Amino acid sequence: MGKKTIKAKCRAMKTEDLEMVMNWRMLPDITRYMNTDPKLTIEGQINWFHQQKENPDNYLWIVEVDDVPSGVLTILDLDRQNQKCSSGLYIALKEKRSLELTMLLEWSLYDFVFDTLKLNKYFGEIFSLNKGLIRLKQMCGSEIEGVLRQHIYKNGEFYDITVMAIDKTRWKDIKKKYQYEAIEFEVD
C-alpha cells in the first residue's frame, strides 16, 4: 500500500473565517508557544483583520487539509527594504497535525518567500523551550542565528526566544535534496 499524499492548500482568509480563527487562537495548546494568551472578541478580530488587509504586504491564509480548514499561516512583517519576512503558523485541528504537513508547509513557504515575493531572508522567533519546532525547522533548512535571553514575559515568567533563519542562497543550494509537491498559496 502506497504512502498517502497530503492534500493541503493555503487559501486567503475571509471575514467568515474570523470567528473560527478567534476560537483557534485562544486554545491553550495554540497559545502555549505564542507571545500572548489573548481573550479575543469578534469585534476585535474584525478590526484586526481589516487593519492587516490594508497593508498589501500582509498575507493571511487558512491552511486547508483534505478540504477542511485546519489552521492559520500569516506573513505580517514583510520588510521590502531589507528583503526579509517572518511568518506565523499553527494547525488548530489536532487530527490534521503531522510532521509531514509541517515540513511541507515550511518548504512551500520558503518557495513563496524566495520565488514569489523575491525576498532574500526568511526568519522566525521561536520559544526556546519549543525544542520540537526548532528541530523541525533545522530539518527543513533553517539555522539558529541566536538566542534572545528573557525576551518574552508571559504568565509571570520570562522566556528565551531562539532566532532562526534561512536565506535564498541556502534554500537554492539545499532544496534539491527534498522531494515534495509544493502547497498552493492563494493570493488575493
Side-chain angles (χ1 to χ4, degrees), residues 92-156:
L93 301 185
K94 290 179 183 178
E95 65 273 15
K96 299 296 184 182
R97 293 177 190 165
S98 71
L99 177 63
E100 183 182 1
L101 173 64
T102 308
M103 293 177 81
L104 188 57
L105 283 164
E106 190 79 4
W107 293 326
S108 298
L109 186 59
Y110 296 167
D111 288 339
F112 183 80
V113 166
F114 300 130
D115 299 339
T116 303
L117 296 179
K118 307 291 188 208
L119 299 178
N120 183 61
K121 185 175 185 178
Y122 170 73
F123 68 97
E125 295 182 354
I126 301 156
F127 273 65
S128 295
L129 56 88
N130 193 348
K131 304 281 188 217
L133 182 57
I134 291 169
R135 180 69 191 118
L136 182 136
K137 285 187 164 286
Q138 288 174 316
M139 289 168 47
C140 289
S142 285
E143 299 175 303
I144 295 173
E145 292 197 336
V147 176
L148 304 171
R149 305 274 180 225
Q150 298 187 17
H151 194 66
I152 296 296
Y153 185 73
K154 179 177 164 179
N155 300 325

Side-chain angles (χ1 to χ4, degrees), residues 14-26:
K14 301 178 233 169
T15 305
E16 52 267 26
D17 296 317
L18 295 180
E19 186 172 359
M20 174 182 65
V21 170
M22 176 186 74
N23 291 329
W24 286 346
R25 180 58 179 89
M26 292 189 291

Side-chain angles (χ1 to χ4, degrees), residues 54-83:
E54 286 177 13
N55 183 340
D57 282 337
N58 285 347
Y59 297 88
L60 303 121
W61 293 287
I62 297 295
V63 179
E64 290 188 348
V65 181
D66 300 321
D67 298 318
V68 175
S70 303
V72 172
L73 178 66
T74 62
I75 295 175
L76 300 178
D77 55 359
L78 191 149
D79 178 346
R80 293 223 182 258
Q81 172 68 35
N82 295 300
Q83 299 180 33

